[in-house]
mmCIF file with all atom_site columns, all heavy atoms in Angstrom:
data_model
loop_
_atom_site.group_PDB
_atom_site.id
_atom_site.type_symbol
_atom_site.label_atom_id
_atom_site.label_alt_id
_atom_site.label_comp_id
_atom_site.label_asym_id
_atom_site.label_entity_id
_atom_site.label_seq_id
_atom_site.pdbx_PDB_ins_code
_atom_site.Cartn_x
_atom_site.Cartn_y
_atom_site.Cartn_z
_atom_site.occupancy
_atom_site.B_iso_or_equiv
_atom_site.pdbx_formal_charge
_atom_site.auth_seq_id
_atom_site.auth_comp_id
_atom_site.auth_asym_id
_atom_site.auth_atom_id
_atom_site.pdbx_PDB_model_num
ATOM 1   N N   . THR P 1 30  ? -15.075 7.261   11.204  1.00 97.00 ? 30  THR P N   1
ATOM 2   C CA  . THR P 1 30  ? -16.010 8.043   10.286  1.00 97.00 ? 30  THR P CA  1
ATOM 3   C C   . THR P 1 30  ? -15.545 7.805   8.837   1.00 97.00 ? 30  THR P C   1
ATOM 4   O O   . THR P 1 30  ? -16.388 7.499   7.967   1.00 97.00 ? 30  THR P O   1
ATOM 5   C CB  . THR P 1 30  ? -16.045 9.463   10.624  1.00 97.00 ? 30  THR P CB  1
ATOM 6   O OG1 . THR P 1 30  ? -16.440 9.632   11.993  1.00 97.00 ? 30  THR P OG1 1
ATOM 7   C CG2 . THR P 1 30  ? -17.165 10.189  9.802   1.00 97.00 ? 30  THR P CG2 1
ATOM 8   N N   . THR P 1 53  ? -9.251  28.597  7.380   1.00 94.00 ? 53  THR P N   1
ATOM 9   C CA  . THR P 1 53  ? -9.107  27.246  7.326   1.00 94.00 ? 53  THR P CA  1
ATOM 10  C C   . THR P 1 53  ? -7.775  26.726  8.016   1.00 94.00 ? 53  THR P C   1
ATOM 11  O O   . THR P 1 53  ? -6.709  27.171  7.594   1.00 94.00 ? 53  THR P O   1
ATOM 12  C CB  . THR P 1 53  ? -9.177  26.731  5.882   1.00 94.00 ? 53  THR P CB  1
ATOM 13  O OG1 . THR P 1 53  ? -10.452 27.212  5.328   1.00 94.00 ? 53  THR P OG1 1
ATOM 14  C CG2 . THR P 1 53  ? -9.103  25.215  5.708   1.00 94.00 ? 53  THR P CG2 1
ATOM 15  N N   . PRO P 1 62  ? -12.083 11.306  19.305  1.00 96.00 ? 62  PRO P N   1
ATOM 16  C CA  . PRO P 1 62  ? -13.529 11.151  19.169  1.00 96.00 ? 62  PRO P CA  1
ATOM 17  C C   . PRO P 1 62  ? -14.065 12.413  18.572  1.00 96.00 ? 62  PRO P C   1
ATOM 18  O O   . PRO P 1 62  ? -13.464 13.606  18.656  1.00 96.00 ? 62  PRO P O   1
ATOM 19  C CB  . PRO P 1 62  ? -14.014 11.103  20.545  1.00 96.00 ? 62  PRO P CB  1
ATOM 20  C CG  . PRO P 1 62  ? -12.814 10.637  21.410  1.00 96.00 ? 62  PRO P CG  1
ATOM 21  C CD  . PRO P 1 62  ? -11.662 11.216  20.663  1.00 96.00 ? 62  PRO P CD  1
ATOM 22  N N   . PHE P 1 73  ? -13.010 19.784  7.005   1.00 96.00 ? 73  PHE P N   1
ATOM 23  C CA  . PHE P 1 73  ? -12.862 19.440  5.651   1.00 96.00 ? 73  PHE P CA  1
ATOM 24  C C   . PHE P 1 73  ? -11.688 18.515  5.519   1.00 96.00 ? 73  PHE P C   1
ATOM 25  O O   . PHE P 1 73  ? -10.603 18.657  5.886   1.00 96.00 ? 73  PHE P O   1
ATOM 26  C CB  . PHE P 1 73  ? -12.515 20.720  4.848   1.00 96.00 ? 73  PHE P CB  1
ATOM 27  C CG  . PHE P 1 73  ? -13.575 21.727  4.771   1.00 96.00 ? 73  PHE P CG  1
ATOM 28  C CD1 . PHE P 1 73  ? -13.522 22.919  5.518   1.00 96.00 ? 73  PHE P CD1 1
ATOM 29  C CD2 . PHE P 1 73  ? -14.763 21.460  4.041   1.00 96.00 ? 73  PHE P CD2 1
ATOM 30  C CE1 . PHE P 1 73  ? -14.524 23.845  5.477   1.00 96.00 ? 73  PHE P CE1 1
ATOM 31  C CE2 . PHE P 1 73  ? -15.834 22.406  3.985   1.00 96.00 ? 73  PHE P CE2 1
ATOM 32  C CZ  . PHE P 1 73  ? -15.625 23.592  4.715   1.00 96.00 ? 73  PHE P CZ  1
ATOM 33  N N   . ASP P 1 88  ? -22.081 0.753   -2.549  1.00 85.00 ? 88  ASP P N   1
ATOM 34  C CA  . ASP P 1 88  ? -23.379 1.297   -2.152  1.00 85.00 ? 88  ASP P CA  1
ATOM 35  C C   . ASP P 1 88  ? -24.256 1.377   -3.455  1.00 85.00 ? 88  ASP P C   1
ATOM 36  O O   . ASP P 1 88  ? -23.745 1.605   -4.543  1.00 85.00 ? 88  ASP P O   1
ATOM 37  C CB  . ASP P 1 88  ? -23.268 2.811   -1.628  1.00 85.00 ? 88  ASP P CB  1
ATOM 38  C CG  . ASP P 1 88  ? -22.597 2.749   -0.293  1.00 85.00 ? 88  ASP P CG  1
ATOM 39  O OD1 . ASP P 1 88  ? -22.273 1.714   0.241   1.00 85.00 ? 88  ASP P OD1 1
ATOM 40  O OD2 . ASP P 1 88  ? -22.223 3.866   0.124   1.00 85.00 ? 88  ASP P OD2 1
ATOM 41  N N   . GLN P 1 111 ? -17.008 -0.100  -16.753 1.00 91.00 ? 111 GLN P N   1
ATOM 42  C CA  . GLN P 1 111 ? -17.229 0.451   -18.126 1.00 91.00 ? 111 GLN P CA  1
ATOM 43  C C   . GLN P 1 111 ? -16.286 1.519   -18.391 1.00 91.00 ? 111 GLN P C   1
ATOM 44  O O   . GLN P 1 111 ? -16.473 2.712   -18.009 1.00 91.00 ? 111 GLN P O   1
ATOM 45  C CB  . GLN P 1 111 ? -18.656 0.976   -18.170 1.00 91.00 ? 111 GLN P CB  1
ATOM 46  C CG  . GLN P 1 111 ? -19.852 -0.113  -18.088 1.00 91.00 ? 111 GLN P CG  1
ATOM 47  C CD  . GLN P 1 111 ? -20.482 -0.195  -16.717 1.00 91.00 ? 111 GLN P CD  1
ATOM 48  O OE1 . GLN P 1 111 ? -20.117 0.701   -15.841 1.00 91.00 ? 111 GLN P OE1 1
ATOM 49  N NE2 . GLN P 1 111 ? -21.273 -1.141  -16.518 1.00 91.00 ? 111 GLN P NE2 1
ATOM 50  N N   . ILE P 1 178 ? -10.720 -39.560 -13.120 1.00 97.00 ? 178 ILE P N   1
ATOM 51  C CA  . ILE P 1 178 ? -10.406 -38.951 -11.816 1.00 97.00 ? 178 ILE P CA  1
ATOM 52  C C   . ILE P 1 178 ? -10.025 -40.003 -10.801 1.00 97.00 ? 178 ILE P C   1
ATOM 53  O O   . ILE P 1 178 ? -10.765 -41.038 -10.626 1.00 97.00 ? 178 ILE P O   1
ATOM 54  C CB  . ILE P 1 178 ? -11.689 -38.201 -11.199 1.00 97.00 ? 178 ILE P CB  1
ATOM 55  C CG1 . ILE P 1 178 ? -12.157 -37.214 -12.289 1.00 97.00 ? 178 ILE P CG1 1
ATOM 56  C CG2 . ILE P 1 178 ? -11.381 -37.521 -9.959  1.00 97.00 ? 178 ILE P CG2 1
ATOM 57  C CD1 . ILE P 1 178 ? -13.674 -36.746 -12.057 1.00 97.00 ? 178 ILE P CD1 1
ATOM 58  N N   . ILE P 1 209 ? -7.193  -44.432 0.100   1.00 95.00 ? 209 ILE P N   1
ATOM 59  C CA  . ILE P 1 209 ? -6.875  -43.808 1.403   1.00 95.00 ? 209 ILE P CA  1
ATOM 60  C C   . ILE P 1 209 ? -5.478  -44.066 1.635   1.00 95.00 ? 209 ILE P C   1
ATOM 61  O O   . ILE P 1 209 ? -4.977  -45.238 1.747   1.00 95.00 ? 209 ILE P O   1
ATOM 62  C CB  . ILE P 1 209 ? -7.756  -44.425 2.588   1.00 95.00 ? 209 ILE P CB  1
ATOM 63  C CG1 . ILE P 1 209 ? -9.266  -44.191 2.251   1.00 95.00 ? 209 ILE P CG1 1
ATOM 64  C CG2 . ILE P 1 209 ? -7.466  -43.866 3.848   1.00 95.00 ? 209 ILE P CG2 1
ATOM 65  C CD1 . ILE P 1 209 ? -10.217 -44.975 3.168   1.00 95.00 ? 209 ILE P CD1 1
ATOM 66  N N   . ASN P 1 324 ? -16.976 -27.237 8.247   1.00 73.00 ? 324 ASN P N   1
ATOM 67  C CA  . ASN P 1 324 ? -15.638 -26.778 7.855   1.00 73.00 ? 324 ASN P CA  1
ATOM 68  C C   . ASN P 1 324 ? -15.197 -25.700 8.714   1.00 73.00 ? 324 ASN P C   1
ATOM 69  O O   . ASN P 1 324 ? -14.040 -25.658 9.209   1.00 73.00 ? 324 ASN P O   1
ATOM 70  C CB  . ASN P 1 324 ? -15.759 -26.334 6.393   1.00 73.00 ? 324 ASN P CB  1
ATOM 71  C CG  . ASN P 1 324 ? -14.438 -26.047 5.774   1.00 73.00 ? 324 ASN P CG  1
ATOM 72  O OD1 . ASN P 1 324 ? -14.248 -24.987 5.248   1.00 73.00 ? 324 ASN P OD1 1
ATOM 73  N ND2 . ASN P 1 324 ? -13.467 -26.982 5.804   1.00 73.00 ? 324 ASN P ND2 1
ATOM 74  N N   . PRO P 1 330 ? -6.926  -22.176 14.759  1.00 85.00 ? 330 PRO P N   1
ATOM 75  C CA  . PRO P 1 330 ? -6.402  -20.840 14.471  1.00 85.00 ? 330 PRO P CA  1
ATOM 76  C C   . PRO P 1 330 ? -4.912  -20.758 13.812  1.00 85.00 ? 330 PRO P C   1
ATOM 77  O O   . PRO P 1 330 ? -4.163  -21.726 14.069  1.00 85.00 ? 330 PRO P O   1
ATOM 78  C CB  . PRO P 1 330 ? -6.215  -20.206 15.841  1.00 85.00 ? 330 PRO P CB  1
ATOM 79  C CG  . PRO P 1 330 ? -6.260  -21.289 16.831  1.00 85.00 ? 330 PRO P CG  1
ATOM 80  C CD  . PRO P 1 330 ? -7.054  -22.383 16.148  1.00 85.00 ? 330 PRO P CD  1
ATOM 81  N N   . THR P 1 356 ? -8.807  -10.194 -11.819 1.00 97.00 ? 356 THR P N   1
ATOM 82  C CA  . THR P 1 356 ? -7.960  -9.539  -12.811 1.00 97.00 ? 356 THR P CA  1
ATOM 83  C C   . THR P 1 356 ? -6.482  -9.751  -12.469 1.00 97.00 ? 356 THR P C   1
ATOM 84  O O   . THR P 1 356 ? -5.657  -10.002 -13.353 1.00 97.00 ? 356 THR P O   1
ATOM 85  C CB  . THR P 1 356 ? -8.282  -8.036  -12.959 1.00 97.00 ? 356 THR P CB  1
ATOM 86  O OG1 . THR P 1 356 ? -9.761  -7.895  -12.974 1.00 97.00 ? 356 THR P OG1 1
ATOM 87  C CG2 . THR P 1 356 ? -7.683  -7.383  -14.132 1.00 97.00 ? 356 THR P CG2 1
ATOM 88  N N   . LYS P 1 359 ? -5.398  -13.279 -13.191 1.00 97.00 ? 359 LYS P N   1
ATOM 89  C CA  . LYS P 1 359 ? -5.152  -13.431 -14.650 1.00 97.00 ? 359 LYS P CA  1
ATOM 90  C C   . LYS P 1 359 ? -3.821  -12.930 -15.111 1.00 97.00 ? 359 LYS P C   1
ATOM 91  O O   . LYS P 1 359 ? -3.095  -13.413 -15.870 1.00 97.00 ? 359 LYS P O   1
ATOM 92  C CB  . LYS P 1 359 ? -6.268  -12.970 -15.386 1.00 97.00 ? 359 LYS P CB  1
ATOM 93  C CG  . LYS P 1 359 ? -7.558  -13.713 -15.226 1.00 97.00 ? 359 LYS P CG  1
ATOM 94  C CD  . LYS P 1 359 ? -7.900  -14.606 -16.361 1.00 97.00 ? 359 LYS P CD  1
ATOM 95  C CE  . LYS P 1 359 ? -9.071  -15.421 -16.131 1.00 97.00 ? 359 LYS P CE  1
ATOM 96  N NZ  . LYS P 1 359 ? -9.672  -16.024 -17.231 1.00 97.00 ? 359 LYS P NZ  1
ATOM 97  N N   . SER P 1 362 ? -0.885  -14.780 -13.768 1.00 98.00 ? 362 SER P N   1
ATOM 98  C CA  . SER P 1 362 ? -0.893  -16.129 -14.463 1.00 98.00 ? 362 SER P CA  1
ATOM 99  C C   . SER P 1 362 ? -0.157  -15.915 -15.821 1.00 98.00 ? 362 SER P C   1
ATOM 100 O O   . SER P 1 362 ? 0.630   -16.749 -16.198 1.00 98.00 ? 362 SER P O   1
ATOM 101 C CB  . SER P 1 362 ? -2.314  -16.663 -14.652 1.00 98.00 ? 362 SER P CB  1
ATOM 102 O OG  . SER P 1 362 ? -2.357  -17.693 -15.523 1.00 98.00 ? 362 SER P OG  1
ATOM 103 N N   . ILE P 1 364 ? 2.107   -13.622 -16.638 1.00 98.00 ? 364 ILE P N   1
ATOM 104 C CA  . ILE P 1 364 ? 3.550   -13.450 -16.396 1.00 98.00 ? 364 ILE P CA  1
ATOM 105 C C   . ILE P 1 364 ? 4.228   -14.780 -16.105 1.00 98.00 ? 364 ILE P C   1
ATOM 106 O O   . ILE P 1 364 ? 5.274   -15.176 -16.645 1.00 98.00 ? 364 ILE P O   1
ATOM 107 C CB  . ILE P 1 364 ? 3.757   -12.464 -15.243 1.00 98.00 ? 364 ILE P CB  1
ATOM 108 C CG1 . ILE P 1 364 ? 3.099   -11.097 -15.459 1.00 98.00 ? 364 ILE P CG1 1
ATOM 109 C CG2 . ILE P 1 364 ? 5.241   -12.298 -14.912 1.00 98.00 ? 364 ILE P CG2 1
ATOM 110 C CD1 . ILE P 1 364 ? 3.115   -10.196 -14.314 1.00 98.00 ? 364 ILE P CD1 1
ATOM 111 N N   . MET P 1 388 ? 21.012  -23.385 5.730   1.00 95.00 ? 388 MET P N   1
ATOM 112 C CA  . MET P 1 388 ? 21.455  -24.671 6.500   1.00 95.00 ? 388 MET P CA  1
ATOM 113 C C   . MET P 1 388 ? 20.685  -24.870 7.723   1.00 95.00 ? 388 MET P C   1
ATOM 114 O O   . MET P 1 388 ? 20.273  -26.068 8.114   1.00 95.00 ? 388 MET P O   1
ATOM 115 C CB  . MET P 1 388 ? 22.966  -24.541 6.672   1.00 95.00 ? 388 MET P CB  1
ATOM 116 C CG  . MET P 1 388 ? 23.631  -25.757 7.197   1.00 95.00 ? 388 MET P CG  1
ATOM 117 S SD  . MET P 1 388 ? 23.228  -27.266 6.188   1.00 95.00 ? 388 MET P SD  1
ATOM 118 C CE  . MET P 1 388 ? 24.294  -27.031 4.841   1.00 95.00 ? 388 MET P CE  1
#
Side-chain angles (χ1 to χ4, degrees):
Chain P
T30 305
T53 304
F73 293 108
D88 292 354
Q111 292 102 5
I178 306 163
I209 301 171
N324 189 235
T356 313
K359 290 256 177 167
S362 167
I364 301 171
M388 187 54 74

